[in-house]
Every structure is written in structure tokens, then in C-alpha cells.
Amino acid sequence: MNYIALFFAGAFLCNSLPHLAMGLSGLPFPTPFAKPRGKGDSSPHVNFHWGLFNLVAGALLLYTHPVTPGWNWPFAVVIAGALVLGDRMSRRFGEVQRAKRQGTQ
């Protein structure tokens, strides 16, 4: 169970980055609350709050399941969570951005 929590900590922390960056930059970006879901843009305000939620969720998971950075399995699982979600997000949002540039949402 500990490794599952650590995996999701990495995923939440990774997901917080683009939403916080776009929200703080004042730029729209897709969130689960947009229409169509995951394709349409949410306001910077929504992105900031979604990013903050993800940051807090990831931090709370790490608080309840402390990890020491370094060459160890718990830290590797946190990185794996970030890697899996980050890879998926970069591919998905790359597709969304290409469709927007081509005008075919």
C-alpha cells in the first residue's frame, strides 16, 4: 500500500506543475473541468486551484509516507509516478495543442 501512495504522490506532484505554471502565467489550459473534458481550456483561475490541489495532495501523501531522495525503491516509485503521468500528459496535451493549431478540436 505504501508504494501505491508513493506512486500517486509522484503523479500528483507532476500534474501540479503545468496547471500551476499556466494558472500563474494567466493562460488557459485543459483541466478535467473543461468542456469538452481534457480538450477545452479552463481559466487560469481554475488551473491555479487545480494545480494547488494536486500539489497539496502529493505533499500530503509524502508527509504520511516519508521518502528519502536517493537510490532507493520508495524514491524510485515516486519518480515512476511522475514519469508515467508526465509521459502520458505530454503526449495527450501535445495532441490537443496540435489539434488547436490546425483548428480541429
Side-chain angles (χ1 to χ4, degrees):
M1 188 65 151
N2 190 40
Y3 286 128
I4 294 170
L6 293 176
F7 183 88
F8 279 102
F12 277 121
L13 292 173
C14 181
N15 195 42
S16 74
L17 297 174
H19 295 290
L20 284 173
M22 297 306 273
L24 292 171
S25 298
L27 299 170
F29 190 72
T31 68
F33 312 109
K35 292 190 186 238
R37 187 177 185 159
K39 291 182 180 180
D41 286 331
S42 290
S43 71
H45 183 75
V46 169
N47 268 285
F48 170 74
H49 286 278
W50 183 238
L52 187 61
F53 169 80
N54 279 270
L55 179 65
V56 170
L60 284 173
L61 285 170
L62 287 179
Y63 177 76
T64 58
H65 303 280
V67 172
T68 303
W71 297 106
N72 58 70
W73 282 114
F75 187 66
V77 172
V78 172
I79 298 302
L83 180 66
V84 168
L85 188 77
D87 183 66
R88 177 69 186 121
M89 283 176 37
S90 67
R91 291 172 192 267
R92 175 69 184 133
F93 290 127
E95 292 169 3
V96 169
Q97 294 303 321
R98 277 189 297 281
K100 286 180 182 180
R101 283 193 301 273
Q102 295 170 355
T104 57
Q105 264 191 8

